[in-house]
Amino acid sequence: MPRNKPRNDDRHIAGRRLHPASLMMTYGYKPELSEGALKSPIFQTSTFVFRTAEEGKAFFEVAYGLREKEPSEEMGLIYSRLNNPDLEILQDRLTLWDEADAASVFESGMAAITTTLFAFARPDTVVFHSGPLYGGTDHLLNAVLPQFGIKHHGFVAGASRAEMEQALDEALAMGPISAIFIETPANPTNALVDIQACSELADRAAAVQGGERPPLIVDNTFLGPVFQRPLQHGADLVIYSATKFLGGHSDVIAGACLGSQELMDQVTALRTFFGTMCSPWTGWLLMRSLETLELRMTKQKDNAKHVADYLAAHPGVRKVHYLAHLEHGSEQHRIYEDQCLAPGSLIAFDVKGGEAEAFALLNALRLIKLAVSLGGTESLAEHPATMTHADIPVERQADLGITPSMIRLSVGVEDPGDLVADLGQALASI
Ligand SMILES: *Cc1c(COP(=O)(O)O)cnc(C)c1O
């Protein structure tokens, strides 16, 4: 049965384990199965032809879990809601960065988050979480899951260990915890959440409530997979909005979830029934993007350092929130050293003044575009208080560190001197 599954030794040459960046162009794809095409074709098909009725029967037995797979057997291609070569090759490549057993790709980051939370949360259980969370995730927890009897309780990114433990005890008093969901660094403040500490909280929840450990799910969109690998710090599942760095060109909406085979089997089974998988065309676009993932993220990270240093020294700027500027010796810096490989390319900064001054700057930018979203090749600026985080009440915004004078920047791959020139003329115009 011809399948596009990689051989295990595809990852090694003469005993050397190849870096993921080296494998993004070829891993998991066999040209001989596609007329020798160097690149994977777009398998734009809804269904797949079985060679025999016996083969079709065998594929369904595996797909529906009617029997255990033979050791060398892979799930056959049946129908593109279940699987498709463009999705499978992409998933295999994604697992390499995070060293995950398995991955599932979705048509959006929200599809990944919704499908994953529904795979574990049950009525009368609690989702324990960090805050602030991405607006869509926040709405899911606050407005959608409660309709299914699923409660939630959280703590603020940057909270002390004792505060996190207290919040966990409060959550446990509301009911059993079915999942822990965190986002680190937090958006837009770059506050970090200690992944290892949350993993210990998951163990503690399991001990208190008896039964299985609730999965620790980390939204790794901001730094991963190149600069943060949560599975190595005790996370059970990693989620991406692939719309951001993975896609990287602001031209596709997609998402992903990665983790152990056991947990991913549950997530992927629900993807089949929710129908939240991505299309072959989206899968193909993401494979193209992954070839330059490390190149882009590295250039963006270098540019961001240049921009953040410039802003920190500018008299019109009150404060810069940027991971490479964390105070040495602080708890946040310790977490950074433990779990992050680089500061990434998201910066928030407060201009001197308030909303009017922030708007004046945003309106004066010329090269940097005024738009939400992040992680693309172009630099984007936005105003969290009135845009991405507008639905958070003003008092809560203040608790979370979101001010009227704050601007969030996603730094792209442009010439860093040009970016600084644009920010300089915009700051001068206030
Ligand atoms: C954008 C984003 C999402 C949602 O992803 P979509 O692809 O827009 O559905 C989730 N989490 C974070 C951190 C994001 O930035």
Side-chain angles (χ1 to χ4, degrees), residues 8 29 35 38 50 80 110 152 174 184 215 229 260 284 300 306 322 324 328 371 375 386 395 399 423:
N8 276 338
Y29 171 65
E35 309 273 15
L38 172 67
F50 306 136
S80 285
M110 280 314 301
H152 66 92
M174 294 163 63
T184 181
R229 317 253 164 86
S260 68
W284 187 90
Q300 286 171 273
H306 197 82
Y322 170 59
H328 285 246
T386 60
E395 322 78 66
D399 292 341
L423 283 163

Side-chain angles (χ1 to χ4, degrees), residues 126-130 152-155 164 167-168 171 177 179-181 201:
V126 184
V127 175
F128 186 61
H129 64 92
S130 64
H152 66 92
H153 189 65
F155 62 93
M164 287 164 67
L168 182 83
I177 293 175
I180 302 183
F181 191 100
L201 293 183

Side-chain angles (χ1 to χ4, degrees), residues 107-111 113 134 137 183 187 219 221-222 240-244 253-255 373-374:
E107 198 59 18
S108 70
M110 280 314 301
I113 291 167
Y134 177 73
T137 312
E183 210 175 293
N187 174 13
D219 185 331
T221 300
F222 273 37
Y240 292 102
S241 167
T243 310
K244 315 295 166 52
I253 301 271
S373 199
L374 54 102

